[in-house]
Amino acid sequence: MPISSAPPAVAAAVENPRLRMFQFNLCGVKVDGSCPSQGNYGSGTAIPAIVSSAVDFKPDVMTLNELCYPQYLELKKYLTEKGYPMFGRFVTAHGSVSGCDKGSSEVPPEDSENDTDGNPRNNYGNALFSARPLGNVDRHRLTADDQTPGEVRRMVCADTSVPVAGAASRVFKACAAHLIDKDHTKGQAARLAGIVNGYIDSGYPVVVGGDFNLVPESDGLDPLYNHHGGTGRFNEADETDYWHYLVTMCGLVFPDDNCRSGEPSTGPGWLGRKIDYLFVSGAHFTDVDADVTDTSVSDHKPYRGWATLTGGYPGGMPDPDPDPHPGYPHLPVDLPPSVSAGIDVSGAEGGTVRLTGSATDAEGTPAVSWTWRPVNGVDPGTTCAFGSPAALTTTFSCDDDGEFAVTLTADDGKNPPVSDTARVRIANVPPKLDLRGPAPWQVFRAGAEVALDAPFTDPGNDTHTCTVTWDDGSTDTYPAASGKCDKGHVFAKPGMYTMEVTVTDDDGASDKAKVMIVVYDPDAGFVTGAGAVDSPLGQGRFNLNPKYLPHDEGPPPAGGKLSFRVKGAGFQLASTAFDWLVVAPGGKTAVRGTGTVNGKPGFGFVGYATDEPDAFRLVVWDLAASPHPGEDPLFDSVRGKDYDLDLAAPAASDKGSIRVH
């Protein structure tokens, strides 16, 4: 049938309505023995489940596959009875399916509104439903003449509309299709794309729903997708969800906001395949999103989508045709509840996320319960809990990271329970290290053990590895024990050592901390020297000769003095006592003590000296402000350098000499 021509263009509408779409292959008859429904009607079958979903979700457009014509008629009746009437059209795919005749014995033999072959009781195919009237109905054959003559794949398309508050309704084209799972599926997808592109060229926004029997990354869908290798003009409702087809690396490698991906719509759990689609023309729709739910009445899963209609034209639709079967009987059944687990959410291990579910039932309030199961990246032993597992709105927490499925089940006490599942992504939280000891600048004698006190916390159910770089050329890596990275170490030689401790969890996240200590040896030697060095205040002259006297055990050395003077700046330091002296291998020395500045007491100092080459540095700070030199000391002859002896970088000295004995 030729493509319908679009109405004349008029001024754009003032608002952009949000469209709600529903796609479902309900497996309405046991053609090949695969449908889980027992019979075609009554509780536990697909028809009441669809009605319950429609009453809850209130779709603007509903596309259905594999339903019998009697089921199509029954569905229309139930929708009206339950308060959400929809306008529908049916197209036959198979005209002689004996399993379709198990419903009511009164099926009208003729129906000019719909497409049926032979005895309508034995027809099954596709249906298009809309919350508003349908017009300009087209039916297109997608299979070639030589392909499966017993099961011809057809697509039904029609004009429909969506209301806009305070303005004319917005008209668009909706289509329902089902591609056969054979070698010719790609050709059918290409023919489908040519038809809907014709609608777009005529000015229509287009929605196409159906079971395409192709996975998203298949090149058979290239004529439809408008990205990632596609040559088409459509976006797909679930393409922002990278959940299932991570093998495409979309969303991980490509810095895009969409993907040829989505949740599985058929098959066992998360190992299934996505083959059900809701395509919307990219030039007319934005903000697409979708959600796959669970069901026990079909081998496919109900698929709900949303998209904002930005294109199209305003205009009215004709009044619907009168019900062609006003006397057709229907069964007054107690429908199962409608349930939604809500949107997918994210959180962090040890914390809580909020779950907001919903459950409705025309006959009363159903009982609800939440359950969870691990899906991906969850370590053994992980535990999760709901704040209130029998409440629609509750909290969910896990003691480790990973991806989890949370399922809300509703039970009305008469029908089989119905469920819906949402995903919760729990992120890993890095451990937090608390390096309590040794203290900064703590002094140890060479050969004595330095005890590392390094507890940490982690809200996750993780294992941890500790690594300590001791700054003497050695590194230790070992498993954490009881939430601690405690370790002992012996420094054989004097020096200033900046130890770095790192704790890493089994997910690769880590925390680290550093501390510098001082190791002295009263038998290591002493230093003498005098000379001049440049400083920020000008050239200063220094004299030093700290030493451990015989029988000194330290840490303070009993002998010697240190002085420093910048004559033109009026700055003069004179030592009054030493705290410790380090004479390290390689001619490096450091001495710390207290002294006076211009005769005023209460100042600390650290002097660094080396020979070969002769070099000196002095750092002075106010002891009332800090027990150790900070980032902005009172005086530093070489500002901005580290306080560790190996990194202190003293300045070259002249007019004298330094000797490390």
Side-chain angles (χ1 to χ4, degrees), residues 234-481:
F234 287 84
N235 291 101
E236 207 278 322
D238 209 23
E239 65 186 24
T240 59
D241 191 341
Y242 313 139
W243 178 255
H244 187 58
Y245 286 99
L246 292 176
V247 294
T248 65
M249 301 306 290
C250 200
L252 298 179
V253 173
F254 301 114
D256 300 343
D257 295 329
N258 55 4
C259 228
R260 287 174 65 160
S261 181
E263 295 182 63
S265 63
T266 186
W270 300 104
L271 299 176
R273 301 186 304 154
K274 174 178 172 61
I275 58 175
D276 290 88
Y277 294 87
L278 287 166
F279 283 105
V280 295
S281 50
H284 307 104
F285 292 90
T286 61
D287 300 326
V288 295
D289 195 9
D291 179 34
V292 173
T293 63
D294 287 335
T295 183
S296 60
V297 300
S298 174
D299 58 348
H300 286 248
K301 299 179 181 181
Y303 183 32
R304 303 178 298 184
W306 300 262
T308 299
L309 176 58
T310 60
Y313 49 86
M317 292 295 295
D319 291 334
D321 295 335
D323 187 348
H325 317 297
Y328 180 66
H330 56 87
L331 303 177
V333 299
D334 183 340
L335 297 176
S338 176
V339 62
S340 171
I343 62 173
D344 299 343
V345 294
S346 300
E349 61 184 12
T352 60
V353 296
R354 186 177 180 84
L355 302 176
T356 304
S358 63
T360 58
D361 187 68
E363 289 75 26
T365 302
V368 297
S369 61
W370 288 95
T371 57
W372 68 274
R373 60 182 171 86
V375 175
N376 185 39
V378 181
D379 292 338
T382 297
T383 60
C384 300
F386 298 96
S388 300
L392 290 173
T393 299
T394 186
T395 58
F396 181 67
S397 61
C398 295
D399 65 0
D400 205 0
D401 61 293
E403 296 169 345
F404 303 84
V406 290
T407 299
L408 179 63
T409 300
D411 189 352
D412 64 1
K414 296 181 179 180
N415 295 284
V418 292
S419 300
D420 183 40
T421 298
R423 297 182 309 278
V424 179
R425 297 179 176 90
I426 300 296
N428 181 56
V429 176
K432 185 174 179 59
L433 182 66
D434 180 15
L435 183 53
R436 298 176 180 175
W441 295 83
Q442 187 171 344
V443 183
F444 298 86
R445 184 162 181 164
E449 183 177 77
V450 176
L452 192 64
D453 182 8
F456 61 88
T457 57
D458 192 332
N461 176 36
D462 296 326
T463 58
H464 300 82
T465 300
C466 305
T467 300
V468 184
T469 302
W470 297 105
D471 197 24
D472 63 353
S474 63
T475 299
D476 284 335
T477 299
Y478 49 96

